[in-house]
Coordinates of all heavy atoms in Angstrom, one line a residue:
K21 N -2.3 37.3 45.7 CA -2.4 36.6 44.4 C -3.8 36.6 43.8 O -3.8 36.7 42.5 CB -1.9 35.2 44.6 CG -1.8 34.4 43.3 CD -1.3 33.0 43.8 CE -1.3 32.1 42.4 NZ -0.8 30.7 42.8
Y22 N -4.8 36.3 44.5 CA -6.1 36.4 43.8 C -7.0 37.6 43.8 O -8.1 37.5 43.3 CB -6.9 35.2 44.5 CG -6.2 33.8 44.3 CD1 -5.7 33.2 45.4 CD2 -6.2 33.3 43.1 CE1 -5.0 32.0 45.0 CE2 -5.7 32.0 42.8 CZ -5.1 31.4 43.9 OH -4.5 30.2 43.5
T23 N -6.6 38.6 44.6 CA -7.4 39.9 44.7 C -6.7 41.0 44.1 O -6.8 42.1 44.7 CB -7.8 40.1 46.0 OG1 -6.6 40.3 46.8 CG2 -8.7 38.9 46.5
K24 N -5.9 41.0 43.0 CA -5.3 42.1 42.5 C -6.4 42.9 41.9 O -7.3 42.7 41.1 CB -4.4 41.7 41.4 CG -3.1 41.0 41.9 CD -2.2 40.6 40.7 CE -1.1 39.9 41.3 NZ -0.1 39.5 40.2
V25 N -6.4 44.3 42.3 CA -7.4 45.3 41.9 C -6.7 46.0 40.7 O -5.6 46.7 41.0 CB -7.7 46.1 42.9 CG1 -8.8 47.2 42.4 CG2 -8.4 45.3 44.1
T26 N -7.3 46.1 39.5 CA -6.7 46.9 38.4 C -7.1 48.4 38.6 O -8.0 48.7 39.4 CB -7.3 46.4 37.2 OG1 -8.6 46.7 37.0 CG2 -7.1 45.0 36.9
D27 N -6.4 49.2 37.9 CA -6.8 50.7 38.0 C -8.4 51.0 37.5 O -9.0 51.8 38.0 CB -6.0 51.5 36.9 CG -4.5 51.5 37.5 OD1 -4.3 51.4 38.7 OD2 -3.6 51.8 36.7
A28 N -8.7 50.2 36.5 CA -10.1 50.3 36.0 C -11.1 49.9 37.1 O -12.1 50.5 37.3 CB -10.4 49.5 34.8
D29 N -10.9 48.8 37.8 CA -11.7 48.5 39.0 C -11.7 49.5 40.0 O -12.7 49.8 40.6 CB -11.1 47.2 39.6 CG -11.3 45.9 38.6 OD1 -12.2 46.0 37.7 OD2 -10.6 44.9 38.8
M30 N -10.5 50.0 40.3 CA -10.4 51.0 41.4 C -11.2 52.3 41.0 O -12.0 53.0 41.8 CB -9.0 51.4 41.6 CG -8.8 52.3 42.8 SD -9.4 51.7 44.3 CE -8.0 50.5 44.6
I31 N -11.3 52.6 39.7 CA -12.1 53.9 39.3 C -13.6 53.6 39.4 O -14.3 54.4 40.0 CB -11.8 54.2 37.8 CG1 -10.3 54.8 37.7 CG2 -12.7 55.3 37.2 CD1 -9.8 54.9 36.4
V32 N -13.9 52.3 39.0 CA -15.4 51.9 39.3 C -15.8 52.0 40.7 O -16.8 52.5 41.0 CB -15.6 50.7 38.6 CG1 -17.0 50.1 38.9 CG2 -15.5 50.6 37.0
L33 N -15.0 51.3 41.5 CA -15.2 51.5 42.9 C -15.3 52.9 43.6 O -16.2 53.2 44.3 CB -14.2 50.6 43.6 CG -14.2 49.2 43.5 CD1 -12.9 48.4 44.1 CD2 -15.3 48.4 44.0

Side-chain angles (χ1 to χ4, degrees):
K21 180 178 178 181
Y22 292 111
T23 60
K24 291 181 182 175
V25 178
T26 65
D27 290 342
D29 292 338
M30 188 59 78
I31 290 170
V32 170
L33 289 172

